[in-house]
Each structure stands twice: as C-alpha cells, then as structure tokens.
Amino acid sequence: MNKLKTVGFAIIPAALFNYSCGKKSPQNEEPPVRPNIIYIMTDDHSYQTISAYGHPLSKLAPTPNIDRLANEGMLFQQAFVENSLSTPSRACLMTGLYSHQNGQRQLGKGIDSTKTFFSELLQQAGYQTGVVGKWHMQCEPKGFDFYHILWDQGQYYNPEFRSNNTNGKYIKEEGYASTLITDHSIEFLEQRDKNKPFCLLVHHKAPHRNWMPEPQYLDLYEDINFPKPDTFTDDYTTRCSPAHTQDMTIDKTMTLIYDLKVLELKDTPPYNKEWNREDIEYSLNRMTPQQRQEWDKAYHPKNQKFIDQNLKGEELLNWKYQRYIKDYLRCIKSIDDQVGRLITYLEKEGLMDNTIIVYTSDQGFYMGEHGWFDKRFMYEESFRTPLIMCYPKKIKAGIKSDALVQNIDYAPTFLSLAGIEKPKEMSGTSLEPLFNGEEPKDWRTSLYYHYYDYPAIHSVRRHDGVRTDRYKLIHFYGKGEMANDKDINCNELYDLQNDPNELNNLYGKAGYEEITAELQTTLNKYRTDLKVDEY
Ligand code: SGN
Ligand code: CA
C-alpha cells in the first residue's frame, strides 16, 4: 500500500518522502525525487494557433518552442475547460472543483477562498511554490512562497505588479508583459532553495484582448493574408437564440479604435463608444517615448492607408479580420519566444529531466469561427484548450492523447505527481494514468460544462451541457436580462463526428431520440451527483 496515502492530505512532512510512492524502499535506496512543476497558462490562447495542433492558421505563424514541448512530451487533443472564462478557469485550476463548488461562477468576485488550493498542499509537503503574472481572482494567492502578480487583467506595456515585498502596493515596471512575466519566473527559479522541489505557475497576460504586440513584432506577418475559417459567415440557422443574440462578432462588436488600434479615426459610428478611445489611449499613454515612437511608426502608415481606402462591407470585414488575427498572432510569437527562453534556462540549470512542463490556456478562443472573437460558449473553439505536458521521466516523447480531460484535473495531477493523496472532495482526476499514452478502460466517457456569466459583456446566455467523444448536448436557460433578450429554455445537440463545426443542431430531429435520451440521462446524473443548483 502507498505509505503516503495513509497519511491523509493535509500536512505531509518532507521527511516522509524517504519512501517511494508505490513501494517501501530498502533502507539504503535513494529516496524518490519528486518532480518540479512548471505550469504555463496563457490568457485566451486558442489551440488553432499552436502549430503542434496543425490548424491552417498556425502553419502560417508557427510556434516552434511550444511545439518542442509537444514533440518531447504529450499533446492532449481533447482537453477542455469547465467554464470558459478567466477567473472561473483559474478557480478550477487551483481547487480541482467545478465552478458551483468553488464559488467562482462568473468573471467578478466569487471564489470561496476557504476551499483548499493545491498550492497549499504542495507547500505543506515541502514544495517551494510561486505564481507570476495574471492571478485575477479576488483573493490572496494562497499557498505561495513567492508571488509577483499583475493588477486585474494587467497591461501589455509597463504593467503594474504586486509581490511579497511591495507591501500590498502595485508597482509599475518597464517592459512588455510576456517578457516581464518570464523575468520574474526566472527570478523565482534563481532564488529558490535548490534542495526542495518547486511548483511555479507562469500565468501570461497575452494574448488577451486587445492584443497589443511587442515592439519587435509590430509588423510581423504584415504581408500574409490569413485564411478565414469555414464558419466565418455562419448565420446560426438551426440554433437556439443565444448564438443569434451574442455580442461578440468581429463585424459588429469588435471596434476599430480599441480592438484594432486605428486611433487616427475621428468618428466611427456605431463603434465610437467612448470607452474604446479612452482605454486604448490609456494603454498607449503609459508607454515610454521610445515604445510609443516604435508603435506609431508601425501602426500610423498602416492605419492611414486603411482610412484612405474607405473600405465598406465585406472588404471592411476582411480588413478587420486580418488586423485582428495578425495582432493576436504577433502576441503569440512573443509568448512562444518566452517559452523558449524558459526552456533554455531549465536546460542550462539541468532541470529538464525532472521537471514536468505544462502548457495550456485559461480557455480557448474564437479566431473568427462563427464570425466571433472571445469565448464563453460550449462550442468547440472556446470549450477546448491547448494542453501539452512534457516530462521525459514519465511521458514518452511525441505521444498524443484523445482522452477527455478538463481543467479540474490539473490540481489532482500535480498532487499525485508529488505523492500527495487527493482530498476526497476534489472533483477532478489525476491525468498521470494517461502518461504512458494509453487510455485506461475506466477513463471518463463524458465531461460536464457550465457557463454562468450573464448578464454580462458579450451577452452570452447561461448554459450547461455534456460532451462525449462524439456528441454534445447543450441546454441554454434563464431569464432574459439584457436588451431584447427573452427567457429561454432551449437545447442543442451536435454530432461532432459528422459535423465538427457544429452548424447542424440535431435536437428534436427524427432519428436522434435515443442518443438524446442517453445524453440527457448523463447530464441529469451530473446535475444530481454534483448538486448543481441552477440549469
Ligand atoms: C474583458 C474584455 C472582454 C473579455 C473579458 C473576460 N474586454 O472584459 O472582451 O470577455 O475581459 O476575459 S476588454 O475591453 O477589457 O478587453 S477573461 O479572459 O479575463 O475571461
Ligand atoms: Ca482568458
């Protein structure tokens, strides 16, 4: 029997690790070395823009350093979040619990900070713990020896950070967010106690809206014409009302001034909402004179050319798409560089072999699919996330997994790697049994999803649902609380094998009674077992 597992989860003295995780070691055998953990999570990074996933966009804008983690580790092709939004996703990560269990259902306040964070358990077991970058939750970073966190969503240029030694104050630092976050991650690694294992969470700000690239990449990809997704002009026929009433299209919601940085525009009805101009001006006015000069040098001629062309209709929409995708991919380029920089540091320090490196995002993102940006929906592009794990000791290089995994699984995975028993209330499951590339026979066959952030920006209605490897059942519900929204209670069913783009809602169609009933039973079971209190 596993020695550690008899100890319980709360406090495990480091001395106990003189035993191996599985068997009792002979007296003279070396104690097992617990792995270090580096968890890199970007903000809104779509799997479509990581070349290891092979999507056409990423072929034109490759990510060699992130791909290296996949080539030397494992690429999860069916990784999902439970609630496609920042703070809920971060709460799932920290607690291994679903949103209604950890309290963080919506973007704003909510986290139940009395819940155990996996960082606390690692810390109690002798790990040195650190978190750098976007924390975002409205509670202190619990269970961390080192923190260096951004204010709220953070700024791309010269952002403010708060850390252990700033007395609760946020201090502005000069530089680009992705670089600074890596600087402070390396600072944690440099100053750590080398006799202890570590767990470092590297939480990037990029590529979150409004996608401001770093100076050296302001013109990258300028001459490339990126292909639009097949569903770019989706008219949402067959769907319930939420796909029609959302406020997240590139056409209508995305603004020229704030999102696409055409400050030279004096008046752009109906997109001239004041906050657009004020917010981008705030972000630009905080630049150093040199940063600002480089910015204007790159954007001004491109913007002037755009204004002179006076584009309308489809041409205008195409221009918006190109500017959006290019700025987004420019931000990804910097992320990829910084992942490379971190790998180089780990190699130099001889840490690659005994460190598990995880790369993921807080959710997926629409790169124009269905005409959208942003996330929130249970449709594939926002529900699904990139997930790569590289750990030469236990994961064979270059393997791929199609097992259904979710962000509530990360905390249990890190605990099991550290030899700590998972608290029994934790809902997620350790991913360690998948590390040999095979899916255990009793692996889960479905996932539960629940989105709550309505009424809110982007007007996406509340919904929950289940996904199996082939089908997806979504239930939209709730009172209409925003302009023209009606009360709804509406279902959608997709066959992902025949309709991967989810254009054909099969709910209520003849021939689908049996699968619908089966999925409904699965959904009902989740709701009952997990004590879901609204749907
Ligand atoms: C901001 C963005 C939204 C985005 C949310 C949540 N608007 O409000 O577009 O959906 O964050 O993003 S912005 O004008 O401030 O950019 S999340 O990734 O933090 O969940
Ligand atoms: Ca996000």
Side-chain angles (χ1 to χ4, degrees):
M1 189 178 162
N2 184 334
K3 271 251 165 201
L4 294 173
K5 290 191 176 170
T6 60
V7 180
F9 68 85
I11 298 176
I12 300 177
L16 281 171
F17 288 94
N18 284 334
Y19 299 92
S20 78
C21 293
K23 302 160 228 131
K24 202 172 178 184
S25 304
Q27 289 285 301
N28 56 355
E29 206 175 282
E30 282 284 300
V33 185
R34 290 176 291 167
N36 303 308
I37 300 163
I38 293 201
Y39 174 87
I40 307 171
M41 179 167 69
T42 33
D43 192 2
D44 294 357
H45 194 179
S46 55
Y47 59 84
Q48 305 92 301
T49 53
I50 292 179
S51 31
Y53 283 101
H55 188 276
L57 274 184
S58 62
K59 291 205 170 118
L60 294 165
T63 49
N65 293 299
I66 300 172
D67 290 2
R68 176 175 165 192
L69 296 176
N71 292 338
E72 294 177 16
M74 183 165 182
L75 186 78
F76 289 83
Q77 304 185 112
Q78 301 286 285
F80 298 86
V81 290
E82 182 261 336
N83 181 354
S84 180
L85 203 57
S86 170
T87 41
S89 172
R90 287 157 212 273
C92 287
L93 160 71
M94 295 314 302
T95 62
L97 296 170
Y98 291 94
S99 301
H100 69 285
Q101 299 173 324
N102 65 42
Q104 189 73 52
R105 300 179 193 224
Q106 295 175 261
L107 194 62
K109 61 178 188 287
I111 183 73
D112 175 355
S113 57
T114 64
K115 297 290 180 200
T116 304
F117 286 11
F118 79 85
S119 48
E120 296 174 271
L121 302 179
L122 288 182
Q123 196 179 40
Q124 287 159 11
Y127 267 73
Q128 246 190 320
T129 53
V131 58
V132 179
K134 184 171 170 179
W135 173 249
H136 207 192
M137 285 185 296
Q138 292 171 9
C139 72
E140 284 301 296
K142 266 202 318 171
F144 291 98
D145 302 305
F146 177 102
Y147 64 87
H148 201 98
I149 53 172
L150 288 167
W151 182 78
D152 194 52
Q153 302 264 16
Q155 287 285 330
Y156 277 104
Y157 278 82
N158 313 325
E160 284 84 6
F161 290 92
R162 171 164 79 90
S163 57
N164 309 56
N165 49 20
T166 61
N167 260 333
K169 286 207 188 71
Y170 285 92
I171 313 236
K172 188 170 172 178
E173 294 178 24
E174 191 177 320
Y176 187 70
S178 310
T179 315
L180 290 170
I181 288 165
T182 311
D183 290 347
H184 293 296
S185 299
I186 292 174
E187 180 191 326
F188 165 80
L189 296 171
E190 287 274 288
Q191 56 91 70
R192 76 190 203 280
D193 176 349
K194 294 192 173 158
N195 296 314
K196 289 180 174 181
F198 65 82
C199 172
L200 171 65
L201 311 185
V202 184
H203 289 189
H204 280 286
K205 184 229 168 12
H208 191 272
R209 187 181 186 189
N210 63 344
W211 320 291
M212 292 176 68
E214 75 171 301
Q216 72 194 96
Y217 294 135
L218 294 171
D219 283 320
L220 186 71
Y221 309 132
E222 192 54 28
D223 298 328
I224 299 178
N225 188 44
F226 285 94
K228 291 204 206 64
D230 293 344
T231 59
F232 191 69
T233 55
D234 186 5
D235 61 4
Y236 321 123
T237 315
T238 83
R239 278 7 134 64
C240 297
S241 62
H244 301 257
T245 59
Q246 47 60 39
D247 182 17
M248 48 193 260
T249 62
I250 294 174
D251 187 12
K252 297 206 167 62
T253 313
M254 188 176 277
T255 68
L256 288 167
I257 295 176
Y258 171 71
D259 289 311
L260 303 177
K261 301 116 191 156
V262 191
L263 265 91
E264 294 81 350
L265 275 176
K266 293 289 176 276
D267 186 21
T268 58
Y271 308 125
N272 60 346
K273 293 178 202 156
E274 260 179 55
W275 63 270
N276 288 162
R277 188 176 292 280
E278 271 173 15
D279 278 12
I280 183 78
E281 278 176 355
Y282 176 75
S283 298
L284 294 176
N285 289 342
R286 55 188 297 120
M287 290 179 170
T288 63
Q290 200 198 334
Q291 289 166 345
R292 185 60 195 262
Q293 208 185 358
E294 289 180 64
W295 182 276
D296 289 341
K297 188 164 162 258
Y299 279 93
H300 188 63
K302 295 189 269 194
N303 291 350
Q304 203 50 57
K305 186 173 161 209
F306 163 69
I307 291 168
D308 293 346
Q309 284 173 313
N310 195 22
L311 303 174
K312 297 269 185 299
E314 212 176 299
E315 282 185 329
L316 173 61
L317 184 56
N318 184 49
W319 186 90
K320 288 179 81 176
Y321 174 74
Q322 294 299 328
R323 170 64 62 93
Y324 161 49
I325 294 295
K326 283 172 196 180
D327 280 348
Y328 183 99
L329 289 170
R330 289 165 181 152
C331 293
I332 298 303
K333 177 70 180 159
S334 302
I335 289 288
D336 190 67
D337 287 353
Q338 295 304 322
V339 168
R341 190 174 151 220
L342 203 51
I343 297 176
T344 304
Y345 177 85
L346 296 173
E347 277 180 318
K348 189 182 84 182
E349 294 294 307
L351 288 167
M352 278 305 269
D353 280 351
N354 196 44
T355 300
I356 175 162
I357 306 175
V358 179
Y359 185 91
T360 188
S361 168
D362 65 341
Q363 5 74 203
F365 212 68
Y366 294 99
M367 310 306 308
E369 294 88 356
H370 312 292
W372 298 336
F373 66 103
D374 213 65
K375 50 258 176 177
R376 299 163 189 267
F377 278 109
M378 198 193 167
Y379 304 127
E380 289 296 275
E381 294 83 359
S382 47
F383 179 29
R384 194 174 149 196
T385 51
L387 178 64
I388 297 167
M389 291 193 178
C390 178
Y391 181 28
K393 268 215 179 119
K394 287 202 171 166
I395 301 177
K396 252 204 280 157
I399 56 174
K400 294 182 179 178
S401 172
D402 284 323
L404 292 170
V405 307
Q406 205 163 23
N407 55 349
I408 52 169
D409 299 332
Y410 303 152
T413 306
F414 300 148
L415 294 179
S416 86
L417 283 167
I420 303 169
E421 190 180 359
K422 181 182 92 157
K424 59 180 177 317
E425 68 272 17
M426 224 178 235
S427 294
T429 302
S430 171
L431 302 179
E432 235 189 310
L434 302 171
F435 283 6
N436 65 4
E438 274 160 41
E439 194 176 326
K441 282 205 177 59
D442 58 352
W443 195 252
R444 63 160 77 88
T445 53
S446 64
L447 294 174
Y448 179 68
Y449 180 84
H450 203 148
Y451 172 81
Y452 301 84
D453 199 31
Y454 173 89
I457 184 170
H458 299 303
S459 308
V460 174
R461 303 298 297 264
R462 293 177 180 224
H463 55 290
D464 74 344
V466 281
R467 187 199 191 281
T468 64
D469 61 346
R470 173 152 183 197
Y471 293 100
K472 188 186 288 182
L473 178 67
I474 314 178
H475 174 246
F476 291 96
Y477 68 92
K479 285 203 166 316
E481 297 181 59
M482 296 179 78
N484 306 321
D485 282 351
K486 299 199 169 55
D487 297 356
I488 49 167
N489 177 10
C490 189
N491 299 292
E492 294 181 1
L493 169 72
Y494 296 100
D495 176 347
L496 301 164
Q497 192 174 299
N498 293 328
D499 177 28
N501 289 333
E502 299 165 293
L503 295 173
N504 194 9
N505 173 17
L506 299 167
Y507 194 85
K509 292 250 161 74
Y512 293 92
E513 297 82 359
E514 207 176 306
I515 184 65
T516 305
E518 211 176 284
L519 291 164
Q520 191 63 56
T521 303
T522 309
L523 180 56
N524 293 347
K525 185 162 164 40
Y526 274 115
R527 288 167 173 172
T528 308
D529 291 355
L530 297 171
K531 300 189 175 62
V532 178
D533 53 8
E534 64 163 76
Y535 47 85

